[in-house]
Amino acid sequence: MYFTEILVMRTSQYLLSTLKETPASAEVISHQLMLRAGLVRNLASGLYTWLPTGLRVLKKVENIVREEMQRAGANEILMPMVQPADLWEESGRWNDYGPELLRLNDRHKRPFVLGPTHEEVITKLVANELNSYKQLPLSLFQIQNKFRDEIRPRFGIMRSREFLMKDAYSFHLEQECLEKTYQKMFDAYCRIFDRLGLNYRPVLADTGSIGGDASHEFHVLADSGEDDIAFSDASDFAANVEKAEALAPQTERAEPTQTLTKVATPNVKSIDDLVNFLAVDIKTTVKTLLVCGIENEQGETPIVALVLRGDHQLNEIKVEHLSQVASPLTFASEEQILAVVHCNAGSIGPVGLSIDIIVDRSAAQLSDFVCGANENDQHLTGTNWQRDCSTYQVADIRNVVAGDPSPCGQGNIVIKRGIEVGHIFQLGTKYAEAMGCAVLNEGGKNQTLTMGCYGIGVSRIVAAAIEQNHDKYGIKWPKAIAPFQVAIVPMNMAKSARVKETAEALYEQFNQVGIEVLFDDRKERPGVMFADHELMGTPLLLIIGERNLDAQQVEVKNRITGEKSLLAIDDVMSLFS
RNA sequence: CGGUGAUUAGCGCAGCUUGGUAGCGCACUUGGUUUGGGUCCAAGGGGUCGCAAGUUCGAAUCUUGCAUCACCGACCA
């Protein structure tokens, strides 16, 4: 434990800083409550100062993460936030990372970056420090501020530019060993979120451009989440919709019954327009999207057509994995569209196209469908694959939707929102190769290491916990991360010597036993004190008043359940045993 | 990056249409009052109205530019 907890706390010596009114700039509930309860203050877009109460929570999350990482066998280190640019050139990310990477120069005009992540630094470190396979496997982690120059910071602490992250990296000679550590980390993550008291789910995730074989995200379930998670209603299956496979329909494609007919569709530009104009079911229409393909040897960029059922949405990640399509995904410009199909975007269809056509599995199952005619203000009805368009490839290129069969084979898909608070993946050799990270193996040969990488958004967890645990009075902290375990709330202490004596005595006892207590010794009316402590979410309130002192009792109020009960003063400590 | 909106006291807002000595509520200070759920009364302190230029005798108010903050979008076929 690296953080020394300060137990002694009186409100008269404490920066309470609660707000009665919600600042106008706060949109989501966690942001509002973090401002109102005095956890954070905004400095600039996406930059926050942590006040005492917020910092206590942040440190508690941090400590749970630290303990479980240590238990999983990882060593803690601390790397600089400012990193030399040449490391990023070595890995290739100086060019690849884009504008999220904040670049700066020092006084000698040497280029640096503000670290959005630390793969380069740690891989370089390990490349320098390790020589032999005998030193493997090795896991290292740090808890560090990261900076990502987000296009649009939003939702307060949930998507800020500077944020606290735990990032861990493991190094191995063999894939098999990496898989073992990966599983260990997976288990450690589950223990972390269990201990934090959050409702979370590990979900299958896309490995992104980094590649690698396995990846899981850990999501805290909350309606305000930014990610869609696909669950099976009949099994443990859970996957990010980016990743969830949309299965091909089980049924055979129906035989054509209609003839191909061109119909005039003036001013019909979108699928919605089309459905309204022709009064057809959206599920009998297809949309055709033109995107840029991979540049060929002549330096030309071919255009590729993607065909989806009208009601389905394109999954960019799946498309980027296709060999014909350029990554990152780029839609064809108006000029490119005109050059290929001689019509506007709203009238494109697969019939008669002489470019690569990739059809989603569901769209490929349609018969007698409606599509663009590749002529302005014209569409085709009664279109059928094979008969009217025979050269195409079928692939999974859409997002799953609620009700789809689950790819695990059991049940149907349900979609919920999640806040991504953790991400683990098997990196492979990408960075180790680029940074020359290798050791001598048993045969005395140089062997490049394979890596795993494991992140947790520490500050984001604080916001996610609030999103999941609040009511109209304020925050309801899970016990493990509450800033204080108990608040002493004396009624009219200024006038009653008995109340003051009792409150002071209990405060002293809590301090001796090491229970984090906030003693409200302000000269405030009871309502003000109650409101502040409920806003801050302290799990237990100890209310001391003349009313119950004759019977040597105090009142205990549970913030989570709302239950109130009377307790003999002598029994108060038993609440915490 | 595109669109929209905002910027006046620590916070929440009014004033701007129709230019003429900057206001309200909360918070803060002082005195009194009250004391088991955000008391009440009284007296105070606090603002170069985001910045810059322009119009005008005179600008929070009109014009132009800039900055900052926020929201929506970045899937259009």
Side-chain angles (χ1 to χ4, degrees):
Chain A
M1 185 79 92
Y2 292 169
F3 168 60
T4 312
E5 290 171 55
I6 298 158
L7 304 168
V8 181
M9 210 46 77
R10 294 168 185 263
T11 49
S12 56
Q13 302 164 9
Y14 190 74
L15 184 63
L16 210 50
S17 276
T18 54
L19 302 174
K20 213 182 249 188
E21 283 173 293
T22 304
S25 60
E27 192 71 10
V28 293
I29 195 76
S30 62
H31 191 196
Q32 293 176 0
L33 288 175
M34 289 180 85
L35 292 170
R36 287 225 292 133
L39 270 60
V40 295
R41 288 293 180 258
N42 183 253
L43 179 65
S45 179
L47 301 175
Y48 293 85
T49 297
W50 289 78
L51 301 182
T53 311
L55 186 62
R56 294 180 74 96
V57 178
L58 190 67
K59 289 291 179 186
K60 292 199 165 200
V61 176
E62 189 182 319
N63 273 334
I64 289 175
V65 171
R66 172 175 291 118
E67 284 170 15
E68 293 302 334
M69 290 316 290
Q70 287 171 344
R71 193 206 293 228
N75 303 251
E76 182 164 8
I77 61 170
L78 185 60
M79 292 176 270
M81 197 176 166
V82 176
Q83 309 174 11
D86 53 2
L87 273 186
W88 285 72
E89 274 163 9
E90 209 173 326
S91 73
R93 290 208 289 183
W94 178 257
N95 291 323
D96 296 348
Y97 210 93
E100 269 187 28
L101 183 63
L102 186 66
R103 299 150 208 252
L104 44 112
N105 292 315
D106 70 3
R107 61 164 69 189
H108 306 293
K109 301 277 183 288
R110 281 189 292 246
F112 287 84
V113 307
L114 227 42
T117 173
H118 282 72
E119 278 86 4
E120 281 80 2
V121 179
I122 198 146
T123 309
K124 201 67 185 175
L125 176 82
V126 170
N128 289 334
E129 300 305 318
L130 296 195
N131 308 306
S132 161
Y133 73 96
K134 293 177 191 167
Q135 295 167 293
L136 294 175
L138 181 69
S139 297
L140 301 170
F141 79 100
Q142 68 167 348
I143 298 174
Q144 233 281 24
N145 273 352
K146 298 276 189 281
F147 190 94
R148 292 181 190 169
D149 201 359
E150 296 279 349
I151 302 178
R152 175 147 92 91
R154 60 184 126 181
F155 305 142
I157 292 298
M158 291 248 268
R159 184 171 291 282
S160 52
R161 292 195 288 178
E162 185 170 345
F163 56 99
L164 188 62
M165 182 169 171
K166 184 282 300 178
D167 47 326
Y169 307 85
S170 68
F171 297 84
H172 315 266
L173 210 54
E174 307 289 352
Q175 172 68 18
E176 193 189 345
C177 178
L178 168 60
E179 282 167 19
K180 261 191 204 159
T181 299
Y182 184 85
Q183 186 58 44
K184 220 186 225 179
M185 288 293 179
F186 185 99
D187 296 341
Y189 272 45
C190 290
R191 274 201 304 274
I192 287 167
F193 295 113
D194 284 339
R195 281 183 64 185
L196 290 170
L198 298 175
N199 180 17
Y200 73 97
R201 290 292 284 274
V203 307
L204 287 170
D206 187 78
T207 47
S209 52
I210 293 162
D213 300 314
S215 177
H216 286 86
E217 290 168 356
F218 287 75
H219 283 262
V220 166
L221 300 183
D223 292 337
S224 53
E226 289 188 276
D227 289 296
D228 282 316
I229 314 297
F231 294 91
S232 163
D233 59 10
S235 80
D236 281 344
F237 176 84
N240 196 310
V241 290
E242 290 176 350
K243 170 85 175 176
E245 185 181 5
L247 297 176
Q250 293 298 303
T251 50
E252 287 288 302
R253 182 166 67 213
E255 289 299 315
T257 63
Q258 300 175 7
T259 51
L260 188 63
T261 310
K262 189 187 286 183
V263 293
T265 51
N267 291 319
V268 168
K269 303 249 188 291
S270 68
I271 288 291
D272 283 346
D273 294 345
L274 184 65
V275 167
N276 287 331
F277 185 83
L278 294 178
V280 292
D281 183 354
I282 191 168
K283 292 180 180 175
T284 66
T285 66
V286 306
K287 52 187 172 188
T288 306
L289 289 63
L290 300 186
V291 302
C292 297
I294 304 254
E295 203 171 287
N296 63 19
E297 284 152 13
Q298 288 80 46
E300 295 160 341
T301 304
I303 299 297
V304 178
L306 306 174
V307 181
L308 290 163
R309 211 169 73 187
D311 59 322
H312 285 151
Q313 294 216 305
L314 186 68
N315 181 311
E316 291 189 18
I317 306 256
K318 290 176 181 175
V319 173
E320 284 173 358
H321 285 170
L322 296 173
S323 58
Q324 301 95 323
V325 176
S327 180
L329 183 67
T330 314
F331 284 89
S333 65
E334 272 178 48
E335 295 78 48
Q336 287 171 311
I337 292 174
L338 275 176
V340 172
V341 294
H342 314 295
C343 74
N344 292 324
S347 301
I348 308 172
V351 178
L353 275 189
S354 55
I355 55 177
D356 278 351
I357 301 174
I358 297 163
V359 182
D360 182 69
R361 289 165 172 173
S362 296
Q365 202 67 16
L366 297 176
S367 49
D368 298 332
F369 58 86
V370 182
C371 62
N374 298 323
E375 271 180 60
N376 280 341
D377 298 329
Q378 299 284 328
H379 279 78
L380 299 172
T381 65
T383 319
N384 282 277
W385 297 113
Q386 303 301 335
R387 187 191 71 186
D388 308 319
C389 174
S390 53
T391 315
Y392 60 92
Q393 174 193 338
V394 177
D396 171 21
I397 56 171
R398 70 172 172 96
N399 284 337
V400 289
V401 294
D404 279 348
S406 171
C408 69
Q410 295 174 54
N412 295 315
I413 291 290
V414 180
I415 292 183
K416 289 185 189 172
R417 304 288 280 177
I419 302 166
E420 185 188 346
V421 289
H423 197 166
I424 59 178
F425 43 101
Q426 298 179 16
L427 270 184
T429 57
K430 175 179 164 140
Y431 293 96
E433 219 156 86
M435 317 297 290
C437 184
V439 298
L440 291 186
N441 62 19
E442 260 180 293
K445 292 256 167 62
N446 230 14
Q447 185 172 338
T448 300
L449 301 187
T450 186
M451 292 170 59
C453 143
Y454 320 89
I456 286 186
V458 177
S459 45
R460 182 181 279 184
I461 283 174
V462 177
I466 295 171
E467 290 291 331
Q468 210 174 64
N469 300 283
H470 66 269
D471 61 14
K472 64 177 174 174
Y473 301 110
I475 304 167
K476 295 161 75 171
W477 291 115
K479 251 191 190 143
I481 57 175
F484 297 95
Q485 293 307 304
V486 58
I488 296 176
V489 187
M491 299 291 103
N492 200 13
M493 185 169 78
K495 286 276 171 64
S496 167
R498 280 209 297 176
V499 168
K500 184 168 168 55
E501 274 166 32
T502 311
E504 292 282 0
L506 282 171
Y507 178 61
E508 186 57 32
Q509 276 186 60
F510 281 130
N511 281 327
Q512 278 174 10
V513 181
I515 292 164
E516 297 162 297
V517 55
L518 183 60
F519 178 14
D520 202 335
D521 62 347
R522 292 176 298 175
K523 199 179 166 186
E524 280 290 355
R525 294 177 57 83
V528 174
M529 295 198 260
F530 289 137
D532 275 346
H533 293 292
E534 278 159 10
L535 179 59
M536 286 203 299
T538 309
L540 285 177
L541 296 191
L542 222 52
I543 303 156
I544 299 164
E546 279 288 340
R547 196 187 275 181
N548 299 312
L549 279 184
D550 286 337
Q552 288 293 301
Q553 286 180 321
V554 295
E555 184 179 322
V556 181
K557 182 165 182 188
N558 185 311
R559 173 71 179 92
I560 310 299
T561 64
E563 286 168 347
K564 295 180 192 172
S565 57
L566 289 173
L567 191 65
I569 292 171
D570 293 341
D571 294 341
V572 166
M573 288 300 143
S574 68
L575 287 171
F576 301 94
S577 55

